[in-house]
Amino acid sequence: SQTIHQWPATLVQPVGSPLSLECTVEGTSNPNLYWYRQAAGRGLQLLFYSVGIGQISSEVPQNLSASRPQDRQFILSSKKLLLSDSGFYLCAWRHRTGGNGGYTFGSGTRLTVV
Amino acid sequence: DAKTTQPPSMDCAEGRAANLPCNHSTISGNEYVYWYRQIHSQGPQYIIHGLKNNETNEMASLIITEDRKSSTLILPHATLRDTAVYYCIVKAQGGSEKLVFGKGMKLTVNP
């Protein structure tokens, strides 16, 4: 069966510090991968998605970047965090062929920038 | 992708059926209706999806009207663990990669 892992679960970082959040998927090949963010009291916003190694699409201009160094690994990064980067970050995957299936989300990372 | 409209909140008694409505009057012929839920501080969980026929799985049933302009998610025997924000989303197969979440509807199951 397929599983998705995100870590860490919680993170407190000072303003100006770097960020690296990692997401890995097991049990499938060639998944589409996604990073979402949910600010406090707000909806989920798609940040980045990837349909293959090294292929990154950005949905919202911001202080963050994403990379996909391996087929089942998706990394969210920042060189210098801002207070506004605080939020709940979620990684998700779905089959590349799309089909009719849904998206599977990880358990999320709660980031607090102080 | 078409937009959806859901009431902001709903209460349900434990053990009773919860019927969660969703309007999607501008849905296109190739757009599916998806339902997700998000329990507090967790990632969204896929529940069910459908195109035009009613669907049922181990979690819920999805009833889509004949004109496809609205749908209802049915939790047949709601439990306290079903308390969550429920999202109704319409999305075309093979369309944009965006799965657009609206504000959803907060379902509170009361003992």
Side-chain angles (χ1 to χ4, degrees):
Chain A
S1 63
Q2 302 95 352
T3 56
I4 180 169
H5 302 279
Q6 264 189 264
W7 65 92
T10 60
L11 192 60
V12 179
Q13 293 282 102
V15 168
S17 65
L19 173 73
S20 181
L21 301 181
E22 188 165 344
C23 171
T24 59
V25 179
E26 295 178 358
T28 188
S29 298
N30 305 317
N32 284 357
L33 297 171
Y34 308 85
W35 279 111
Y36 280 82
R37 176 173 63 196
Q38 188 172 34
R42 304 186 69 175
L44 289 108
Q45 180 185 39
L46 178 63
L47 302 176
F48 301 95
Y49 68 88
S50 171
V51 298
I53 296 174
Q55 300 180 57
I56 308 295
S57 295
S58 174
E59 288 294 310
V60 181
Q62 60 215 313
N63 184 40
L64 302 168
S65 62
S67 62
R68 184 170 178 175
Q70 300 180 44
D71 181 48
R72 290 169 290 176
Q73 183 184 31
F74 206 21
I75 297 172
L76 184 69
S77 304
S78 174
K79 293 182 179 178
K80 291 185 178 181
L81 284 169
L82 306 172
L83 288 174
S84 57
D85 291 324
S86 293
F88 189 42
Y89 288 83
L90 289 151
C91 181
W93 78 273
R94 74 176 177 106
H95 289 292
R96 180 170 301 175
T97 53
N100 300 333
Y103 295 61
T104 302
F105 285 80
S107 55
T109 296
R110 191 163 300 280
L111 171 68
T112 304
V113 182
V114 296
Chain B
D1 295 326
K3 292 185 177 179
T4 63
T5 304
Q6 299 175 256
S9 63
M10 177 180 290
D11 282 19
C12 177
E14 187 178 19
R16 304 295 294 271
N19 298 306
L20 286 64
C22 180
N23 286 324
H24 31 80
S25 58
T26 60
I27 193 169
S28 300
N30 66 338
E31 289 181 317
Y32 287 75
V33 180
Y34 288 84
W35 282 84
Y36 285 77
R37 71 180 182 184
Q38 188 175 21
I39 296 169
H40 183 63
S41 295
Q42 297 183 24
Q45 176 189 26
Y46 166 80
I47 301 173
I48 199 168
H49 74 280
L51 183 62
K52 45 185 162 181
N53 297 322
N54 297 338
E55 303 288 344
T56 295
N57 63 19
E58 65 278 5
M59 291 182 68
S61 295
L62 174 61
I63 309 298
I64 302 174
T65 58
E66 190 169 347
D67 63 8
R68 303 213 318 126
K69 293 184 177 182
S70 65
S71 60
T72 301
L73 179 74
I74 301 173
L75 308 179
H77 305 285
T79 70
L80 298 179
R81 288 176 293 180
D82 291 323
T83 292
V85 177
Y86 286 76
Y87 297 96
C88 171
I89 302 166
V90 292
K91 186 183 182 308
Q93 178 184 358
S96 165
E97 287 301 323
K98 285 184 179 182
L99 189 64
V100 180
F101 288 82
K103 295 183 179 179
M105 188 202 79
K106 177 65 184 295
L107 173 69
T108 302
V109 181
N110 299 306

